[in-house]
Amino acid sequence: AQSVTQLDSQVPVFEEAPVELRCNYSSSVSVYLFWYVQYPNQGLQLLLKYLSGSTLVKGINGFEAEFNKSQTSFHLRKPSVHISDTAEYFCAVITLGGNTGNQFYFGTGTSLTVIP
Amino acid sequence: EAGVTQSPTHLIKTRGQHATLRCSPISGHTSVYWYQQALGLGLQFLLWYDEGEERNRGNFPPRFSGRQFPNYSSELNVNALELEDSALYLCASSQGAVQPQHFGDGTRLSIL
């Protein structure tokens, strides 16, 4: 079965410290990977995407993520966080084709709280 | 460029009633997706429409249905509402099935 696991439901971090939000997926077919951010009472905004090519992808607001096929991971990182980064972060996977067609999976989210 | 718009913002219903949620995609986007975001459960994929056809659906009962119109807008219909249907319903659109999805701000459905 396909799934997305975000290992940390809550991550507190001090302002200007680095942060890593972890995401692992399971899939037997090809995948496309995404990270989204959700601010309170808003929809989701795309942070970055991996479709193909370089496994290190850079997104908006200084975030980056690395696709590791052998570890089936797509962890999100930022070297120095700001108060404004406080939000909910979702890892998402699109699995391609197979018997059930394209499928769309989101993790349960990681709540990032930046402490002044 | 206008983003994905959803209406209404809030919807309050009682058990057994019917709800209709609407979504207008970004201009040029042909794929529309519906998700349910219940408290503590993340986003659960509901439905995917592309070019007017239902392409796939998630693990939800048949009382969750929808359609996509010729202008690519979409509506989600939920029949025989149950208390556990209370959630934020998010609509997203994309230019293609594997392109990034752009989300609306959602419709918060509350069942009393």
Side-chain angles (χ1 to χ4, degrees), chain A residues 83-111:
Chain A
I83 296 291
S84 58
D85 292 325
T86 294
E88 191 85 12
Y89 292 79
F90 292 93
C91 180
V93 172
I94 298 177
T95 62
L96 304 180
N99 294 332
T100 56
N102 290 1
Q103 293 285 333
F104 312 92
Y105 302 94
F106 280 75
T108 52
T110 296
S111 178

Side-chain angles (χ1 to χ4, degrees), chain B:
Chain B
E1 175 185 85
V4 177
T5 58
Q6 291 186 245
S7 64
T9 305
H10 294 92
L11 190 57
I12 299 174
K13 295 284 185 178
T14 57
R15 289 179 60 190
Q17 283 189 314
H18 166 92
T20 297
L21 288 63
R22 295 181 175 83
C23 172
S24 292
I26 291 173
S27 178
H29 287 191
T30 61
S31 281
V32 171
Y33 313 81
W34 287 96
Y35 294 88
Q36 183 193 66
Q37 186 177 22
L39 197 61
L41 294 180
L43 275 74
Q44 304 293 317
F45 166 64
L46 267 165
L47 291 159
W48 167 33
Y49 291 95
D50 183 63
E51 297 286 358
E53 299 285 332
E54 181 180 302
R55 300 297 183 183
N56 215 336
R57 62 180 294 129
N59 189 25
F60 280 84
R63 59 190 186 83
F64 287 84
S65 65
R67 53 180 172 167
Q68 186 178 33
F69 299 99
N71 66 354
Y72 302 115
S73 67
S74 175
E75 67 180 28
L76 173 69
N77 294 290
V78 189
N79 292 322
L81 287 165
E82 301 178 3
L83 292 176
E84 53 264 35
D85 297 334
S86 293
L88 181 67
Y89 288 83
L90 292 169
C91 173
S93 72
S94 70
Q95 285 185 307
V98 294
Q99 294 302 313
Q101 297 175 19
H102 299 259
F103 285 79
D105 287 338
T107 292
R108 185 161 296 282
L109 177 62
S110 299
I111 312 303
L112 304 179

